[in-house]
Amino acid sequence: MDNVIAHSPVVTSPEVTLVPNNSLLTETPEEGRQLAVKMSRLIIKLTQPDEEKRNQLRDVYGNDAMMLIAVGQTVATEFATIAAANNYWRK
């Protein structure tokens, strides 16, 4: 039997734009950091589209240091991608 891995397509909600303005380019590192935070929040919204459930979960992760560290790591990963896209703001 062949080992075949099926890939399901990524389904996005029409209300969620994962890359605002369809660009990672920003004028400053501060704008890049803000974009990273926004993109991190958008992936949570896509992953858990139920606003009531997201609100319930905030109490869980808001009181768990490891989950808060994971949030910071997610933003840092997004920021690294944005920084690279902006050539680290070097002109």
Side-chain angles (χ1 to χ4, degrees), residues 10-59:
V10 175
V11 178
T12 59
S13 168
E15 302 88 42
V16 179
T17 301
L18 295 176
V19 180
N21 300 318
N22 201 30
S23 177
L24 298 177
L25 300 180
T26 63
E27 290 295 318
T28 65
E30 178 61 28
E31 286 179 12
R33 187 70 166 167
Q34 289 175 13
L35 178 59
V37 170
K38 183 171 190 163
M39 289 173 58
S40 296
R41 293 182 73 183
L42 289 170
I43 196 63
I44 298 303
K45 185 175 184 180
L46 179 67
T47 304
Q48 178 46 267
D50 184 328
E51 183 178 4
E52 184 177 331
K53 181 57 79 175
R54 286 194 315 269
N55 289 337
Q56 291 170 355
L57 292 172
R58 282 189 185 118
D59 289 338

Side-chain angles (χ1 to χ4, degrees), residues 28-29 79-91:
T28 65
F79 185 61
T81 302
I82 293 163
N86 283 278
N87 195 23
Y88 303 93
W89 293 276
R90 291 187 191 136
K91 297 200 180 210

Side-chain angles (χ1 to χ4, degrees), residues 67-87:
M67 287 185 177
L68 290 171
I69 290 169
V71 169
Q73 290 171 330
T74 302
V75 172
T77 300
E78 295 284 16
F79 185 61
T81 302
I82 293 163
N86 283 278
N87 195 23

